């Protein structure tokens, strides 16, 4: 009902809509309308109410609620059930909890702020209020745990393509970061729960530094982190970005579900790769591999050629690119 | 303190211990003693209290509390933190929840009864009160998700050895059942949570039909399920069985942690195997493989030789043994 009232206000943007009219069109009591208006105000909508004239929408806030995103969505499942939070400890933690309780595929947890945002391997992730996209998608694919890393490639492809659609060139630092000018703008944290040969659910955490200004990037990570706004010089629509991601993700994910392949995602990952053709170092469980990143396999593994020309295939790891950020 | 009072009563089994003495020895008030005695009575201990004589332990119940198991334990970590329930929906569900909240390695959830016990792939598991061992162990090994199936082999070996130590011959039906006379007495359900290349935790569910009588096995599974009591003709000490499992599991698990191998477990799995040398059928994700089970690898995978002499290696699946339970 709140969403319907909001739609009505938006349709009449700038003009007053009388309580009488809302009440009749939506078959809702005047008291209930008043209650919903207050909820909308709490979410950041500026609504003017004048007696005998009614209600008028003055300002739509930049919030990532379903009501604000839905008109931009082309998806069937992804992002059709959005749980929106003003502040939360971690969207991945919340998503895992909800997934355990049975929340279905495509459910998304979005928060304006994370107080305990997490990156890979339990690391901290700075997630200030209203400045980024901090969200987690719940999926329940019928695949093997060993194939779960494909989901990270699908997600990286979807996010990279979505940022590009906003006119901002970006690169995928295999396996799960998006970078611009060799600085991170997005991290992807894929977590799973399952039996040994059956996935119960996967939670895909996506953290994007969207509209953070220079002074909002902590000093100690200024060399390695940036935001879309800093790099493109303009404020980016978070709503459009989120909708793009859902649209692209669903399309690429369906290829995995329907054909059990991720060809289209791998194409995007290759086109936008930050590592292919570069000398890199990969740290994987305390072992180090050095060589040239030469290709991605159809499953999303990275092929590295060492000095002797031997090719190694790796499924995950911490990648450094030679010549960047102190690795010489 | 409750445990200390119980110890004192046990030490003086049959004789009265005065409230005065308990109070002095353990530095606890008479009121507190009275409270703890009531708790012990609630757990099933029969305690006689006679004024001016004190308290006397008449009967120790067959319960799987830490107080009852601890004297039999040789472990450092496994089973040193036991959460005991009279009734619970599922020990695995509870263990996963506690593990998410940070409960440490070796923590065990034991319940006298499960109201929603689960087997593999979401199947139901009958778990009547006081008749079995229904428990889940939380571990946090620093291994890859792909290596998690080793944990199932370690557990199968530990349980099989532990039952054998009670004088009952039993067989491991790879990968995760223990059978006697081709009927299941124990199922193991290993579940994990993690990132793509890092395990957060593994929960090992162990369900053993211990002292169920014939009439307590549901009719529709009488052909495929049995209990230790039915097969051995005698009541089995659940406490001793649980302690054996913890002791054996810790020893075998440490081999994995310290040497990254499970040689000792695989030896036990081979010795007690119900499938090696047999014609079997394995169903794995809707595919069927038929052939002779010829060996286990050092990692716990099953090698199957088909009619053309070709060897296939499988990491998991639903095994039927030819000639048993309708598979001809």
């Amino acid at each position: 009902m709140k969403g319907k009232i909001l739609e009505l206000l938006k349709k009449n943007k700038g003009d007053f809509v009388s309580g009488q009219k809302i009440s009749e069109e939506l078959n809702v009591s005047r008291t209930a309308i008043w209650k919903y208006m207050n909820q909308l105000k709490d979410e950041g909508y500026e609504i003017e109410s004048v007696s005998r004239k009614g209600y008028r929408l003055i300002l739509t806030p930049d919030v990532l609620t379903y009501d604000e995103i839905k008109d931009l969505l082309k998806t069937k499942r992804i992002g059709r059930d959005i749980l929106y939070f003003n502040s939360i400890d971690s969207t991945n933690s919340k998503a895992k909890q909800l997934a355990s309780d049975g929340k279905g595929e495509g459910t998304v947890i979005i928060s304006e702020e994370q107080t305990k945002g997490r990156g890979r391997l339990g690391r901290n992730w700075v997630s200030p209020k209203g400045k980024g996209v901090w969200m987690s998608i719940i999926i329940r694919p019928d695949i093997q745990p060993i194939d779960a890393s494909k989901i990270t490639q699908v997600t990286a492809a979807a996010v990279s393509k979505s940022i590009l659609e906003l006119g901002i060139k970006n690169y995928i630092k295999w396996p799960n970061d998006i970078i611009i000018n060799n600085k991170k703008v997005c991290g992807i944290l894929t977590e799973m729960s399952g039996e040994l040969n059956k996935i119960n659910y996967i939670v895909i955490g996506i953290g994007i530094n969207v509209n953070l200004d220079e002074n909002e990037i902590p000093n100690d990570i200024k060399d390695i982190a940036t935001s879309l706004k800093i790099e493109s010089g303009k404020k980016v629509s978070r709503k459009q970005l989120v909708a793009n991601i859902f649209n692209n993700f669903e399309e690429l994910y369906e290829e995995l579900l329907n054909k059990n392949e991720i060809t289209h995602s791998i194409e995007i990952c290759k086109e936008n790769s930050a590592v292919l053709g570069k000398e890199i170092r990969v740290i994987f469980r305390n072992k180090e591999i050095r060589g040239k990143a030469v290709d991605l396999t159809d499953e999303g593994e990275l092929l590295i050629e060492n000095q002797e020309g031997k090719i190694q295939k790796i499924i995950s790891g911490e990648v450094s690119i030679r010549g960047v950020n102190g690795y010489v």
Side-chain angles (χ1 to χ4, degrees), chain A:
Chain A
M1 180 50 67
K2 195 177 67 185
K4 283 183 183 165
I5 291 176
L6 183 59
E7 255 174 61
L8 200 59
L9 289 178
K10 281 188 174 176
K11 227 167 54 186
N12 292 275
K13 199 167 179 182
D15 291 333
F16 280 99
V17 189
S18 72
Q20 177 77 22
K21 191 181 169 194
I22 299 173
S23 172
E24 280 167 11
E25 259 189 51
L26 302 177
N27 194 21
V28 59
S29 77
R30 302 290 286 263
T31 323
I33 294 172
W34 180 78
K35 215 179 64 194
Y36 288 123
M37 291 297 172
N38 281 338
Q39 286 179 15
L40 287 168
K41 285 177 191 169
D42 282 348
E43 285 177 13
Y45 293 88
E46 261 184 54
I47 295 168
E48 189 184 10
S49 54
V50 173
S51 55
R52 275 185 308 247
K53 281 183 163 180
Y55 300 94
R56 182 166 75 142
L57 180 62
I58 293 173
L59 185 86
T60 296
D62 176 29
V63 290
L64 298 176
T65 55
Y66 182 65
D67 288 333
E68 287 298 322
I69 294 168
K70 65 171 189 274
D71 293 340
L72 306 168
L73 286 185
K74 300 175 212 156
T75 61
K76 289 192 296 285
R77 295 179 297 178
I78 305 297
R80 287 299 173 180
D81 182 11
I82 295 181
L83 285 86
Y84 171 81
F85 295 85
N86 210 324
S87 179
I88 204 171
D89 52 351
S90 145
T91 59
N92 257 34
S93 298
K94 187 70 179 178
K96 286 195 283 184
Q97 184 193 321
L98 291 166
S100 301
D101 294 346
K103 264 285 178 195
E105 170 145 306
T107 303
V108 176
I109 321 302
I110 297 188
S111 184
E112 294 295 338
E113 169 187 61
Q114 292 185 110
T115 55
K116 286 182 187 165
R118 286 184 295 115
R120 273 208 306 170
L121 308 173
R123 286 173 198 145
N124 190 37
W125 183 277
V126 177
S127 335
K129 196 154 208 150
K131 294 296 180 143
V133 168
W134 328 120
M135 67 179 181
S136 299
I137 306 173
I138 297 170
I139 56 171
R140 299 179 177 279
D142 182 20
I143 60 174
Q144 292 286 301
I146 196 174
D147 285 334
S149 60
K150 290 179 182 170
I151 297 296
T152 303
Q153 297 310 300
V154 168
T155 309
V159 174
S160 180
K161 189 179 176 199
S162 299
I163 295 174
L164 194 58
E165 285 170 351
L166 298 175
I168 304 172
K169 185 73 187 142
N170 65 91
Y171 299 90
I172 299 172
K173 181 157 160 278
W174 185 93
N176 67 329
D177 289 334
I178 311 282
I179 63 175
I180 301 178
N181 281 329
N182 287 313
K183 295 178 181 179
K184 198 191 281 201
V185 290
C186 167
I188 295 161
L189 173 62
T190 313
E191 299 191 85
M192 64 174 162
S193 166
E195 297 177 29
L196 297 180
N197 57 335
K198 176 180 160 278
I199 282 176
N200 290 332
Y201 61 80
I202 290 178
V203 161
I204 310 162
I206 301 172
I208 311 175
N209 297 337
V210 183
N211 290 322
L212 287 83
D213 290 309
E214 292 265 15
N215 60 14
E216 287 166 317
I217 309 273
N219 271 328
D220 57 330
I221 57 169
K222 271 201 160 51
D223 290 344
I224 55 169
T226 187
S227 76
L228 297 180
K229 186 182 176 194
I230 293 169
E231 296 303 321
S232 70
K234 63 185 183 193
K235 194 160 182 257
V236 170
S237 163
R238 296 190 305 152
K239 297 171 200 177
Q240 188 64 58
L241 176 58
V242 167
N244 288 0
I245 291 172
F246 293 164
N247 294 336
N248 287 319
F249 178 82
E250 183 166 289
E251 193 183 324
L252 296 169
Y253 175 54
E254 299 236 310
E255 188 187 17
L256 172 60
L257 293 186
N258 298 336
K259 302 192 201 166
N260 197 27
E261 56 182 45
I262 54 169
T263 316
H264 196 173
S265 296
I266 296 300
E267 265 171 39
I268 296 169
C269 288
K270 284 182 183 177
E271 270 169 31
N272 301 345
S273 175
V275 301
L276 290 182
K278 303 260 174 68
E279 291 293 324
I280 64 167
R281 177 183 66 188
V282 185
I283 296 181
F284 180 60
R285 294 182 68 75
N286 302 324
K287 273 186 214 158
E288 187 182 288
I289 299 169
R290 282 168 191 255
K292 189 175 173 183
V294 288
D295 206 357
L296 287 179
T297 68
D298 292 344
E299 279 73 42
E301 298 130 320
L302 185 64
L303 299 181
I304 301 175
E305 184 178 355
N306 71 7
Q307 283 193 314
E308 290 82 46
K310 214 186 116 198
I311 305 264
Q312 263 193 290
K313 187 164 82 176
I314 56 172
I315 61 160
S316 187
E318 199 72 14
V319 173
S320 301
I321 301 168
R322 195 156 174 185
V324 174
N325 289 326
Y327 167 47
V328 288

